């Protein structure tokens, strides 16, 4: 009777059915799988940039515009946010780890997909896809070159057991990125349409190459201003992109159709659902602001603008008005909002441009970030796409190179063009001259918190005024650290509670876990 | 045991049994003193009905009772005399006694008698020329007249009386003619008579609890005195795929019988043997009624967490601690060392726990037992947080800002706790005869926790039927267990969310539970800060699971010594669960869910086939046995779940989940899920034993096994051998003069066991759907790698050497064992950090670790006092364990790093708590060391080099962290007592663990004075190091100040019972008792309970979200009819 319960199994066969994954060896992709495979490597960019402790935070919180001070509801977290701001990060800190692992995940994905394509398609068929993947891979190496400098270049997927990659110098990584981009550009599509959106078409690749050349002096020791201009010019001459009449349009919720975006990272609250997929608004707004936007989630309130940076703005600059949230806060129905925690619980919630110190602040302290439109009813994930490269950047890269190569007036024309969006025609403040661009920065550098005050100023910064222009235009876009390093400010100046820690901090250390697993790697100098 | 007698009566009766005598006898003999009860037959019918009910689902009602002298009606056709007896038994309360070889079964009867007296019937049926009968009370003893039966001349009849050491007659002793199945049992006067015994025969007298005696037939009268058996020696213990006399066992096996179990409101099987087995650590790390005990044998065996649980076999079939009710268990055997467990191959590393359920045991049992108790609990140790008054005082003193006073006074812990009343009822019925017998039990366990809505209801029913055919050549066993569990949930899919308890500690005591308008008071701005009452009241859920097992086995004994067994088992687990958070739940305010519903279901099917063959042979002084077998088991697991939100109403909870609009609005990427996995395990095994003169003992076994988890690797098959030897010194001639030594045995064994990875496909590279990307304005799933391959993946292998001594002295008044073990676990799985690049992901699961555990176990049983009024037995056990991680690399990947960090403080401190150094033990706390505070209450640290550094100058880097203690106890001890004084019995179990540390999370988080948004402990204002209150400028931090010594000694279980002397006929025994669990703890530890989790790689972390452990008080009865 009991035997009925059983169909006697074959007596020594091991169960091998997998219901959720493919066994890599047995997987043969179909035609429709191909885009799923090739595009998988793009998904990593959003993670590199936006997930917790990602590249965005590396670039912004280590610089002079963004700070995460202690708040009544926390934000101490064992000092991690303070350490990134104070340039005292440890090789074991997540902020050091994440960019490495996420970038290499992207690189490994590129290598794997190329390996698969090469075995699936003939060379000619594969060429455009391979070129696109090489450009994409170069973009991840661009991040690594920027943050860690001396990283191993790995281009093979199929490596022998126990293979440990050799370290390359920052110069070698720079050369590699340049070479990869130059070689792949001829195969990339010139099209700019919804098909190519969020992919490396020729123009996205050229923008990336321009960016690499822009930083060539820092990364390779040799400036490449002219080469940068050449790449910018080819993008400009393609006539595929244009400036939005209002900068706001680039950052609205439905911004995927903006003609200013050259390479956008697609984000959708229903599909890109990792926790922290894109939540600058959650990190910056105070809890009461939930009512302002009728958000589904209560924001966590913490991150805000460094007061000295806000002070550099012209009060009429639309970018100050549009990109920041300040003053008394109201609910969507117009009711005044109040603080709910800390010493000011019950007081009106009105953001002021003042923070006592990185170690202590109340809900009202610091202007908040609102460049990316926060849609009414937003969830914990913003639906806005993230413009990694945009046309204004092409123009400003060209302007910077012109300025640095002695064409300050030509540079000023471009900068003026950008500024025209920010200032009402009547004010006359849009126009800027070559001479002005050659001046120092208006940023009033120096330690400025309730513990100590020093005055360093920014007047001594070469092309400092141009750096200010970059700050006004591109704040909150995950790039300030790179700009500060190029202008020699990053490891030299003090701001808010931060004071310089040493030049070596311009590079991040190789993460401790990585050092521990690859004996062939040398730690970056100073760490 | 051979079938010695055929009895049609379902019970044995000894109506003359002397009550006084019974009481002075051991318990198992007391069962023989049976008293008639007038409704016994009703019960018998009920028993049958119940069996039928279980199998057929029919409803039968008990027929009315019949008096003794009532006349009966009998109608039979073509029936044997046996059938007639059965019929008479059915309609009367008489029972028949006869010898199986004396009835003429060929003769057929057809009778139709109405309202005849029993005697009339018997006279008619029993041809009085052939049979004699005698009615003694309610027994009809039928004998065949010798004149009518040709007795061969060399045979004679033998009779006599069996007495015990005190000279009292012993009823119920089995008397058999050696080498035959012929025999009888002694009557109430200890008297027996056997006919047709050949003159060269040997009689075997056996009785449970007595030493078996063999006597050569030399005369017609043989009186025998039986001695009490030395404790343990004749005890049968379970070993893998068989049973063995304890005296013959050569490996480390511990047995705990039901008499010795921890009594009172135990939570599961684990707690029954808490403190009873040396080297086996059983902890109850939480008070959650849905939680289980945590069990560990001989230290940590895994890094990866592959499997820390021992293999638990319930009557030979794998299960868990909840598979059967604790009340339904007869004995528990623990196979501790490698040589014992190796026959279970890949599942043996953490030991094997063999649970034997209560059985119908043939001729002696026919009874109903009821066990029931009620219990209540309290928090073992309530933590003192600041009250509303404290808050207001602090505001007056200026320590706290005025905005902290929210106007009310709330004791949050009181708001979410209650005085729970739990109850357990267990009813067991067993009966039958030696050919066919049965057991049925039902158990209802309604357990309430200290927190609101925290409960668990379990209903378990079990039946077990044995049938023996063809004179025992074929034996069939059939069993069914059905278990239903239901519990309320205030977390999605699980019982009580410990986070709610945390909220009760940290919530502002001046906050009102509700606002004036009836809404819950909430402050959504503060992180991790929810009104605990609202969390409970605004969530509602229920988990129901049903587990059933059908198992059967057939044993075929074709000839003496040979047995072939087939075991089949099919078990199925089903869970359905539903959970709902209302629109008033914090999840709406914080995350905009507007009602959150969740439904899920799990189905898991386990099948097992096991074929074994065993042959045993004794010749001269040699005894050997050989066993071979094949085992196939598989599991098929499926689950489904769906979640939804945006409900228009709370009315229907999770029961109308499509009402929510969440899936439409939020997209389908979350909210629905399903998964499935299939695994199997295939093993071949063999064991041989050999003993010479009961002195020199040998056992060897081997298992060859493969598990599907290793599919795709180079070698999924593993070989697990073992060998052990024993030398019973006490049997040697030179020991003959040493009278006080009953038993002395040296044992040594070596065995290899394994642990399989818990997840499948770890050895092969896999691809999965890894996320969505936007292609041409459409979101599509992308395919990406999910795992690095590792074709070299194999079992974790434990190689264990065990040396031990078993001893029993002075008539068994002192006995025990000492064991030394050394286990080396090789090829420990670990998510080995690999470089990225070139690897796709940062870790590869590989066999890289080597770990050793060494220790000594010591257990002594003693009976210091034993006389007719008082008996005191006591057990002391002691065990040690030293653990060391010897290596964490293999040929392929060598790491630079000679340590890894593990454990976590959780937010907002966000750091690891433990570090494991290669060459060091598991469980080291690793962090900043504080040695003092300055006058402002700021820490003074000792840095890595031993310098004292002030708070502001201290660099908080990994280099300045150091080992702060270790969370694994080095020593465990227990001391248990059983006292009996007349009708009272008292048992006390005590146990302790020594030389280890605990990280007190509550203090770490709630003694900080800088954190203003949360409440804190009163002790936050105690001067640190006796100097100054901690400065309110000091951040929360994990440092040595919060690491405390955990050493404790617990008086755990105290049970006082009283056996009510019985006058009437109704009860066979009636015991009432009162009991407490976790009664008293002597410790310096300041947290709730120093008995914290010792498993995993971060032992000793007393987590803040832990459901507090409780103290339990119980009142109960054990009754048998």
């Amino acid at each position: 009777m009991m035997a009925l319960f059983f169909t006697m199994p074959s007596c020594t066969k091991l169960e091998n059915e997998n219901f959720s994954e493919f066994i890599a060896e047995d997987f043969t992709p179909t035609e429709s799988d191909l885009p799923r495979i090739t595009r998988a490597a793009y998904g990593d960019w959003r993670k590199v940039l936006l997930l917790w402790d990602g590249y965005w935070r590396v670039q912004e919180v280590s610089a002079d515009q963004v700070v995460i001070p202690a708040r009544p509801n926390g934000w101490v977290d064992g000092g991690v946010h303070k350490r990134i701001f104070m340039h005292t990060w440890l090789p074991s800190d997540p902020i050091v780890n994440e960019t490495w692992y996420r970038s290499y995940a992207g690189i490994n994905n590129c290598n794997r997909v190329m390996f698969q394509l090469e075995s699936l398609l003939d060379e000619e068929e594969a060429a455009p896809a391979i070129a696109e993947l090489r450009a994409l891979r170069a973009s991840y190496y661009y991040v690594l070159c920027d943050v860690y400098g001396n990283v191993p270049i790995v281009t093979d997927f199929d490596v022998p057991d126990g293979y440990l990659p050799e370290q390359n110098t920052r110069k070698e990584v720079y050369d590699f990125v340049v070479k990869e981009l130059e070689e792949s550009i001829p195969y990339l599509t010139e099209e700019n349409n919804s098909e190519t959106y969020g992919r490396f078409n020729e123009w996205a690749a050229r923008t990336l190459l321009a960016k690499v050349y822009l930083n060539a002096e820092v990364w390779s020791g040799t400036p490449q201003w002219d080469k940068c201009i050449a790449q910018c010019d080819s993008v400009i001459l393609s006539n595929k992109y244009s400036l939005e009449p209002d900068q706001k349009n680039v950052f609205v919720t439905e911004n995927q159709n903006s003609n200013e975006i050259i390479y956008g990272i697609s984000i959708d609250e229903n599909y890109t659902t990792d926790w922290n997929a894109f939540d600058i608004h959650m990190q910056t707004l105070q809890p009461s602001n939930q009512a302002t936007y009728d958000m589904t989630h209560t924001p966590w309130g913490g991150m805000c603008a460094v007061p000295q940076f806000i002070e550099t703005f012209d009060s009429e600059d639309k970018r100050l008005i549009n990109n920041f949230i300040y003053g008394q806060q109201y609910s969507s129905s117009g009711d005044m909002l109040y603080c709910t925690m800390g010493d000011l619980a019950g007081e009106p919630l009105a953001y002021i441009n003042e923070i006592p110190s990185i170690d202590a602040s109340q809900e009202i302290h610091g202007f908040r970030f609102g460049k990316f439109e926060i849609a009414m009813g937003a969830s914990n994930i913003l639906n806005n796409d993230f413009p990694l490269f945009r046309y204004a950047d092409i123009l400003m890269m060209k302007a910077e190179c012109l300025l640095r190569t002695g064409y300050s007036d030509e540079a000023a024309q471009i900068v003026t063009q950008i500024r025209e969006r920010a200032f009402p025609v009547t004010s006359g403040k849009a126009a800027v001259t070559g001479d002005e661009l050659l001046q120092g920065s208006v940023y009033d550098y120096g330690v400025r918190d309730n513990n100590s005050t020093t005055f360093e100023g920014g007047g001594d910064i070469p092309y400092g005024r141009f750096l200010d222009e970059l700050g006004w235009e591109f704040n909150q876009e995950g790039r300030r650290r790179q700009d500060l390093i190029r202008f020699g400010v990053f490891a030299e100046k003090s701001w808010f509670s931060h004071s310089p820690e040493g030049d070596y901090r311009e590079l991040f250390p190789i993460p401790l876990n990585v050092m521990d697993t690859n004996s062939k790697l040398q730690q970056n100098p100073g760490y | 045991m051979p079938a010695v007698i055929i009895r049609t009566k379902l019970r044995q009766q000894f109506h003359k049994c002397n009550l006084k005598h019974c009481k002075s006898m051991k318990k198992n003999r007391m069962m023989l003193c049976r008293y008639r009860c007038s409704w016994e037959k009703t019960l018998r019918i009920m028993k049958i009905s119940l069996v039928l009910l279980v199998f057929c689902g029919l409803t039968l009602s008990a027929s009315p009772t019949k008096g003794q002298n009532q006349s009966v009606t009998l109608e039979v056709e073509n029936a044997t005399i046996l059938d007639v007896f059965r019929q008479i038994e059915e309609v009367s309360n008489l029972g028949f006694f006869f010898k199986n070889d004396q009835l003429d079964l060929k003769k057929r009867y057809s009778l139709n008698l109405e309202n005849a007296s029993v005697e009339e019937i018997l006279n008619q049926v029993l041809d009085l020329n052939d049979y004699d009968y005698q009615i003694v009370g309610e027994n009809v003893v039928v004998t065949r007249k010798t004149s009518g039966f040709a007795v061969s001349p060399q045979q004679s009849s033998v009779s006599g009386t069996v007495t015990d050491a005190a000279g009292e007659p012993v009823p119920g002793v089995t008397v058999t003619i050696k080498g035959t199945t012929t025999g009888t049992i002694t009557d109430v006067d200890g008297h027996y008579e056997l006919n047709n015994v050949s003159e060269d025969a040997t009689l075997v007298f056996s009785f449970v609890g007595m030493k078996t005696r063999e006597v050569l037939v030399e005369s017609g009268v043989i009186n025998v005195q039986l001695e009490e058996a030395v404790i343990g020696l004749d005890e049968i213990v379970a070993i893998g795929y068989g049973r063995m006399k304890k005296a013959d066992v050569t490996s480390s096996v511990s047995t705990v019988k039901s008499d010795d179990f921890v009594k009172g409101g135990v939570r599961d099987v684990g707690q029954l043997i808490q403190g009873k087995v040396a080297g086996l650590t059983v902890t109850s790390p939480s008070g959650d009624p849905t939680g289980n005990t945590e069990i560990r044998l001989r230290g940590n065996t895994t890094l990866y967490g592959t499997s820390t649980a021992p293999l638990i076999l319930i009557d030979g079939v794998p299960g868990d601690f909840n598979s059967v009710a604790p009340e339904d268990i007869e004995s528990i055997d623990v196979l501790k060392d490698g040589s014992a467990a190796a026959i279970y191959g890949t599942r043996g590393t953490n030991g094997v726990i063999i649970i034997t359920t209560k059985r119908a045991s043939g001729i002696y049992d026919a009874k109903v037992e009821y066990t029931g108790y009620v219990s209540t609990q309290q928090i073992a140790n309530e933590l003192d947080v600041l009250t509303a008054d404290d808050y207001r005082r602090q505001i007056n003193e200026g320590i706290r800002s005025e905005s902290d006073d929210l106007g009310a006074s709330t004791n949050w812990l009181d708001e979410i706790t209650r005085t729970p009343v739990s109850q357990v009822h267990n009813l067991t019925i067993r009966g039958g005869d030696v050919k066919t017998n049965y057991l049925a039990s039902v158990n209802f366990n309604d357990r309430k926790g200290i927190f609101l809505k925290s409960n668990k209801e379990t209903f378990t029913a079990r039946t077990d039927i044995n049938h023996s055919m063809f004179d025992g050549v074929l034996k069939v066993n059939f069993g069914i267990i059905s278990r239903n569990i239901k519990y309320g949930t205030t977390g999605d899919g699980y019982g009580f969310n410990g986070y709610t308890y945390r909220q009760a500690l940290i919530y502002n005591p001046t906050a009102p539970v509700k606002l004036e308008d009836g809404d819950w008071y909430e402050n959504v701005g503060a992180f991790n800060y929810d009104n605990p009452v609202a969390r409970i009241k605004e969530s509602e859920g229920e988990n129901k699971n049903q587990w059933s097992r059908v198992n059967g086995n057939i044993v075929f004994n074709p000839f003496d010594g040979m047995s072939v067994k087939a075991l089949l088992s099919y078990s199925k687990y089903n869970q359905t669960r539903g959970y709902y958070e209302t629109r008033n739940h914090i999840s709406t305010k914080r995350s905009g869910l507007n009602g959150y519903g969740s439904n899920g279901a799990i189905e898991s099917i386990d099948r097992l086939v096991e074929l074994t063959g065993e042959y045993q042979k004794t010749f001269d002084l040699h005894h050997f046995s050989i066993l071979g077998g094949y085992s196939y088991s598989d599991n098929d697991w499926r689950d489904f779940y769906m979640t939804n939100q945006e409900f228009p109403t709370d009315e229907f909870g999770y029961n109308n989940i499509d009402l929510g609009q969440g899936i439409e609005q939020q997209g389908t990427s979350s909210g629905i899920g399903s998964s499935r996995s299939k695994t199997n395990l295939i093993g071949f095994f063999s064991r041989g034993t050999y003993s010479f003169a009961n002195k020199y003992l040998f056992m060897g076994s081997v298992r060859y096994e493969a598990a599907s988890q290793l599919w795709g690797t180079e070698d999924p098959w593993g070989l697990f051998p073992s060998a052990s030897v024993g030398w019973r010194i006490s049997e040697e001639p030179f020991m003959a003069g040493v009278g006080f030594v009953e038993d002395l045995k040296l044992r040594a064994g070596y065995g290899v066991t394994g642990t399989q990875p818990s997840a499948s496909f770890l050895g092969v590279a896999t691809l999965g759907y890894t996320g969505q990307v936007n292609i041409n304005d459409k979101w599509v799933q992308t395919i990406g790698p999910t795992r690095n391959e590792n074709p070299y993946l194999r079992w974790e292998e434990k190689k264990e050497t065990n040396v031990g001594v078993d001893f029993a002295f002075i008539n068994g008044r002192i006995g025990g064992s000492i064991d030394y073990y050394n286990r080396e676990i090789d090829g420990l799985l670990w998510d080995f950090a690999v470089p990225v690049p070139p690897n796709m992901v940062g870790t590869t699961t590989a066999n890289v670790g080597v770990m050793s555990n060494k220790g000594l176990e010591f257990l002594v049983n003693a009976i210091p006092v034993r006389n007719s009024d008082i008996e005191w037995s006591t057990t002391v056990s002691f065990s040690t364990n030293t653990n060391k991680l010897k290596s964490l690399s293999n040929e392929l990947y060598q790491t630079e790093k000679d340590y890894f960090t593990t454990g976590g403080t959780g937010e907002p401190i966000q750091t690891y708590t433990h570090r494991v150094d290669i060459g060091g033990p598991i469980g080291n706390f690793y962090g900043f060391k504080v040695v003092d505070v300055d006058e402002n209450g700021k820490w003074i640290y000792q840095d890595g080099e031993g310098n004292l550094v002030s708070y502001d100058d201290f660099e908080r880097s990994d280099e300045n962290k150091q080992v702060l203690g270790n969370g694994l106890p080095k020593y465990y001890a227990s001391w248990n007592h059983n006292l009996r004084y007349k009708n009272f019995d008292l048992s006390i179990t005590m146990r302790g663990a020594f030389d280890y540390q605990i990280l007190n999370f509550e203090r770490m988080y709630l003694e900080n004075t800088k954190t203003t948004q949360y409440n804190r402990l009163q002790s936050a204002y105690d001067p640190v190091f006796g100097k100054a209150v901690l400065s309110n400028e000091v951040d929360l931090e994990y440092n040595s100040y919060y690491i405390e010594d955990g050493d404790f000694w617990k008086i755990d279980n105290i049970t006082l019972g009283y056996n009510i002397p019985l006058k009437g006929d109704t009860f066979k025994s009636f015991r009432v008792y009162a009991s407490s669990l976790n009664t008293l703890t002597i410790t310096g530890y300041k947290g709730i309970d120093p008995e914290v989790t010792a498993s995993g790689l971060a032992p000793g972390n007393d987590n803040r979200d832990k459901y507090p452990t409780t103290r339990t008080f119980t009142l109960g009865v054990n009754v048998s009819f």
Side-chain angles (χ1 to χ4, degrees), chain B residues 801-816:
Chain B
T801 309
N802 190 90
V803 183
V805 188
D806 292 336
F807 54 86
F809 304 133
I810 326 170
N811 293 324
R813 296 282 284 264
I814 297 178

Side-chain angles (χ1 to χ4, degrees), chain A residues 1-3 6-19 21-24 27 33 35-36 39-40 43 72-78 90 92 100-101 104 108-109 112 154 157 159 161-165 194-195 266-268 270-273 287 290 296-298 300 340-343 345 359 512-513 515-519, chain B residues 403 478 523-527 550-552 568-569 589-592 607-609 630 632 665-667 669 676-680 682 684 706-708 711 716-717 761 764-767 769 772-776 779 781-787 792 833-840 892-893 895-897 899 908-909 956 958 1010 1013 1035:
Chain A
M1 172 183 61
M2 287 294 295
F6 291 88
T7 48
M8 186 66 184
S10 118
C11 76
T12 57
K13 186 175 172 291
L14 291 179
E15 197 64 67
N16 64 349
E17 279 185 275
N18 192 326
F19 299 95
E21 298 160 317
F22 302 109
I23 306 299
F27 179 69
D33 287 330
R36 296 175 187 277
R39 298 299 290 277
N73 57 347
W75 287 102
V76 175
D77 294 346
L90 304 167
S92 56
W100 179 286
Y101 282 105
Y104 272 114
N108 280 328
N109 269 329
R112 175 184 57 83
V154 177
F157 173 67
V159 295
D161 285 341
Y163 166 75
L164 292 179
S194 65
E195 175 75 20
S266 294
I267 294 158
D268 185 297
N270 288 339
Y271 295 102
T272 48
T273 51
Q290 183 173 15
T296 60
H297 287 62
T298 310
W300 316 314
T340 61
M341 295 170 296
D343 297 344
D359 291 317
L512 189 63
N513 287 341
M515 291 297 296
D516 287 338
T517 52
N518 186 347
S519 55
Chain B
S403 61
F478 180 72
N523 182 350
V524 293
F527 284 137
V550 183
N551 63 286
L568 302 164
S569 159
K589 292 178 181 129
R590 222 186 262 288
S591 309
R607 303 187 302 171
L608 171 71
V609 182
Y630 163 73
Y632 180 95
Q665 289 174 11
Q666 324 286 322
S669 58
R676 184 172 190 179
S677 71
K678 279 185 176 183
T679 57
N680 66 358
I682 303 160
F684 296 92
S708 61
W711 177 85
W717 287 85
F761 305 103
V764 291
T766 54
L767 301 173
Y769 285 97
Q772 316 229 23
V773 294
N774 189 309
I775 300 181
N776 205 2
W779 289 90
Q781 283 279 6
T782 58
I783 298 170
T786 44
R787 189 175 301 118
Y792 313 110
V834 293
V836 175
N839 291 282
M840 306 298 295
L892 204 51
Y893 290 119
T895 171
E896 295 289 291
K897 194 160 104 170
Y899 67 89
I909 295 178
R956 284 166 187 76
D958 280 357
K1010 182 178 180 182
Q1013 71 269 39
D1035 280 325

Side-chain angles (χ1 to χ4, degrees), chain B residues 98 271 371 376 443 462 580 591 616 649 691 830 952 1028 1063:
Chain B
F98 49 84
Q271 211 164 19
T371 305
T376 185
N443 186 290
R462 186 172 76 89
Y580 188 76
S591 309
Q616 298 210 29
T649 172
S691 70
W830 183 239
D952 295 316
K1063 292 204 180 75

Side-chain angles (χ1 to χ4, degrees), chain A residues 111-416:
Chain A
N111 289 343
R112 175 184 57 83
V113 175
M114 280 189 257
F115 176 77
Q116 274 177 312
L117 289 181
E118 280 161 2
S119 58
L120 289 170
L121 308 173
D122 63 47
E123 208 171 309
E124 204 174 323
E125 270 181 308
I130 297 278
E132 185 182 339
L133 285 160
R134 285 175 70 186
L136 175 60
R137 184 176 64 189
S139 70
Y140 292 121
Y141 276 111
Y142 151 81
V143 174
L144 292 169
C145 187
D146 183 16
V147 179
Y148 307 96
N150 310 297
V151 302
I153 298 171
V154 177
T155 54
D156 289 326
F157 173 67
D158 202 21
V159 295
D161 285 341
Y163 166 75
L164 292 179
E166 305 275 349
Q167 193 165 25
N168 294 90
T169 64
R170 194 181 205 181
K171 167 90 167 58
E172 287 165 346
V173 179
Y174 165 85
D175 289 340
F176 172 80
V177 174
V178 169
K179 176 178 125 302
E180 290 290 297
L181 289 171
E182 282 178 341
E183 287 179 11
S184 52
I185 282 170
Y187 295 93
L188 297 175
T189 174
E190 296 177 14
E191 294 297 317
N192 168 36
N193 51 37
S194 65
E195 175 75 20
T196 65
Y197 181 76
R199 289 173 63 183
F200 274 93
N201 60 7
E202 180 179 342
W203 317 113
R206 287 192 187 279
T207 309
L208 175 60
L209 187 53
K211 263 199 169 314
V212 175
Y213 284 139
L214 182 72
N215 292 293
E217 186 172 23
V218 180
W219 297 355
S220 73
T222 316
Q224 302 288 3
W225 313 119
D226 292 337
K227 287 186 174 175
C228 177
I229 292 172
Q231 293 303 325
C232 293
D233 279 341
S234 64
V235 176
I236 294 164
L237 293 172
S238 74
N239 282 321
K240 304 256 183 209
Y241 305 95
S242 59
L243 282 184
E244 288 282 351
D246 191 335
Q247 188 214 44
K248 248 167 101 171
N249 299 353
V250 185
F251 301 94
V252 293
T253 305
E254 299 298 327
N255 59 348
Q256 62 273 25
N257 299 317
S258 166
N259 210 35
E260 188 169 330
I261 298 178
I262 299 175
Y263 180 94
I265 297 172
S266 294
I267 294 158
D268 185 297
E269 61 178 353
N270 288 339
Y271 295 102
T272 48
T273 51
D274 331 47
W275 192 245
N276 302 120
F278 185 18
D279 56 8
I280 289 174
H281 64 314
M282 294 295 285
Q283 297 180 44
T284 194
L285 293 174
Q286 287 301 322
S288 304
N289 277 126
Q290 183 173 15
T292 311
Y293 305 95
D294 292 336
M295 288 166 61
T296 60
H297 287 62
T298 310
W300 316 314
M303 189 165 71
C304 64
V306 171
Q308 285 149 287
F309 165 58
I310 295 297
E311 283 159 13
T312 65
F313 274 99
D314 184 297
S315 61
E316 286 180 46
D317 194 328
K318 278 172 72 184
R319 294 170 298 194
L320 171 66
I321 297 157
N322 291 335
N323 295 353
F324 297 89
I325 296 165
Y326 51 88
Q328 176 62 45
Q329 299 298 296
Y330 298 91
S331 74
S332 56
S333 53
D335 298 330
M336 243 171 82
L337 298 179
Y338 296 90
C339 299
T340 61
M341 295 170 296
D343 297 344
L344 301 178
E347 301 290 319
L349 180 64
Y351 297 126
I352 57 174
N353 191 34
E354 186 182 300
I355 315 170
S357 120
I358 192 162
D359 291 317
S361 70
Q362 296 299 325
E363 288 195 76
I364 59 166
H365 292 125
F367 283 18
R368 306 309 164 98
F369 301 116
K371 188 173 203 170
F372 287 90
E373 180 194 20
I374 302 166
M376 292 304 288
S379 73
N380 60 320
I381 299 168
L382 284 181
N383 256 325
N384 321 37
D385 288 359
F386 194 104
L388 187 68
F389 303 144
R390 59 184 174 106
Y391 190 62
D393 198 12
I394 285 286
L395 297 178
M396 289 296 276
M397 282 196 282
K398 182 178 178 183
E400 184 179 332
C401 294
L402 288 170
L403 178 68
R404 288 177 183 276
T405 50
Y407 301 95
S408 57
D409 289 340
E410 287 81 351
Q413 278 178 23
I414 296 175
V415 175
T416 302

